[in-house]
Amino acid sequence: SAVISQKPSRDICQRGTSLTIQCQVDSQVTMMFWYRQQPGQSLTLIATANQGSEATYESGFVIDKFPISRPNLTFSTLTVSNMSPEDSSIYLCSGVRGGTDTQYFGPGTRLTVL
Amino acid sequence: GESVGLHLPTLSVQEGDNSIINCAYSNSASDYFIWYKQESGKGPQFIIDIRSNMDKRQGQRVTVLLNKTVKHLSLQIAATQPGDSAVYFCAENIEGGTSYGKLTFGQGTILTVHP
C-alpha cells in the first residue's frame, strides 16, 4: 500500500482563523485528492490536487475557502480558511499509485472549530 | 435501510459468523467499485475492488459481488472476527476522462462483531 502521512493529526481552532494541513505521500503516488468527513458521515471529495497548478474543485467547494497547493509530486497542503464551527470535520488526503487504480488514504486530520 | 445524518445502518454478528454488507450505488455510468474499512480514529483502509466487467471477486476472507442491473454491491466477510468491527464504506468511480480517481462514497455501515 502507499504510505500517506498527514500533519497535524488533530487541532482545535478558534473561529475566523485558518489551518493548513500537510499531506506527504510516497513516490509511487501520482494523483492526490482531498476529502472531508463530517461527524458520523461519509466522505465527500473536496478537490483534486494538481501538481504545479490550481486544484480542481468539486461542486460546493471553492478555492477561497479551501486553497490547495501541490508544489511537487509527493506533497500537498489544504488550508481551511476563515473557519466556523461548521468546518469541524475530519480532512483526509488520498493518493492513487501509478499504474494502479487503488486509492489509499491518510490517517486524517481531526479539526474542531470553537 | 436508509440512514440520514448520524444514523448509519448497523450490522451486529457473532464471531465466526459470515457478514454481508450491502451498498446501493447511484451512478449507472460507474465502472469501478471499492470497499473500504474505517476503524475509529483512522483513515479508510482499502479492502477490495471490482470493475464493472466482473460480477464477483474474492480476496482473503472477503468477497465482493456486483449486480449492475440493480446497481447493488455487497461485501461478504467470512468467519467474522472482532477485529473486523469498523465502519465499512463502498465507493464508486468512473475510470475514464476527468472523473478518474474521484470517488463517490456510500453512507457506510457499522459492523459490530461480538465475541
Side-chain angles (χ1 to χ4, degrees):
Chain A
S1 61
V3 176
I4 303 178
S5 61
Q6 288 184 232
K7 288 195 299 186
S9 59
R10 60 178 67 243
D11 208 342
I12 300 172
C13 301
Q14 297 297 320
R15 68 171 67 213
T17 63
S18 297
L19 176 71
T20 296
I21 302 167
Q22 299 179 8
C23 179
Q24 181 75 48
V25 301
D26 69 31
S27 60
Q28 298 180 68
V29 168
T30 54
M31 299 191 71
M32 292 181 71
F33 302 91
W34 286 97
Y35 290 80
R36 180 175 73 182
Q37 186 174 24
Q38 294 179 300
Q41 297 192 31
S42 187
L43 285 77
T44 300
L45 179 64
I46 298 172
T48 305
N50 298 309
Q51 181 188 357
S53 65
E54 190 171 290
T56 306
Y57 290 84
E58 298 302 305
S59 176
F61 298 96
V62 295
I63 188 171
D64 289 346
K65 177 66 176 178
F66 297 103
I68 289 170
S69 77
R70 189 181 175 190
N72 57 56
L73 197 61
T74 61
F75 184 77
S76 178
T77 66
L78 167 74
T79 299
V80 186
S81 301
N82 189 25
M83 288 183 286
S84 67
E86 292 71 33
D87 294 320
S88 298
S89 290
I90 301 171
Y91 292 87
L92 300 121
C93 71
S94 71
V96 177
R97 297 188 73 186
T100 77
D101 299 311
T102 308
Q103 187 163 152
Y104 298 97
F105 284 82
T109 295
R110 285 147 187 82
L111 171 62
T112 301
V113 184
L114 302 178
Chain B
E2 291 287 321
S3 72
V4 178
L6 302 177
H7 303 292
L8 296 179
T10 60
L11 175 65
S12 293
V13 300
Q14 291 297 126
E15 182 178 2
D17 287 352
N18 297 331
S19 302
I20 300 176
I21 301 170
N22 296 305
C23 175
Y25 64 91
S26 57
N27 191 341
S28 58
S30 294
D31 53 11
Y32 178 59
F33 305 88
I34 315 100
W35 280 100
Y36 287 94
K37 171 187 179 183
Q38 187 175 29
E39 297 175 281
S40 180
K42 297 183 178 180
Q45 175 188 353
F46 173 88
I47 301 173
I48 193 168
D49 59 3
I50 189 169
R51 286 181 170 75
S52 59
N53 61 351
M54 303 174 69
D55 53 21
K56 180 179 180 179
R57 190 167 186 223
Q58 289 183 291
Q60 186 176 16
R61 279 204 307 121
V62 295
T63 301
V64 55
L65 299 177
L66 174 63
N67 185 331
K68 296 180 288 295
T69 303
V70 295
K71 294 191 290 186
H72 184 268
L73 195 65
S74 69
L75 177 71
Q76 300 178 0
I77 305 174
T80 317
Q81 303 168 359
D84 294 327
S85 295
V87 180
Y88 288 80
F89 293 99
C90 64
E92 60 185 292
N93 183 221
I94 303 170
E95 288 199 293
T98 57
S99 295
Y100 179 78
K102 297 181 179 182
L103 300 180
T104 299
F105 278 79
Q107 60 187 357
T109 297
I110 301 170
L111 174 66
T112 303
V113 182
H114 300 283

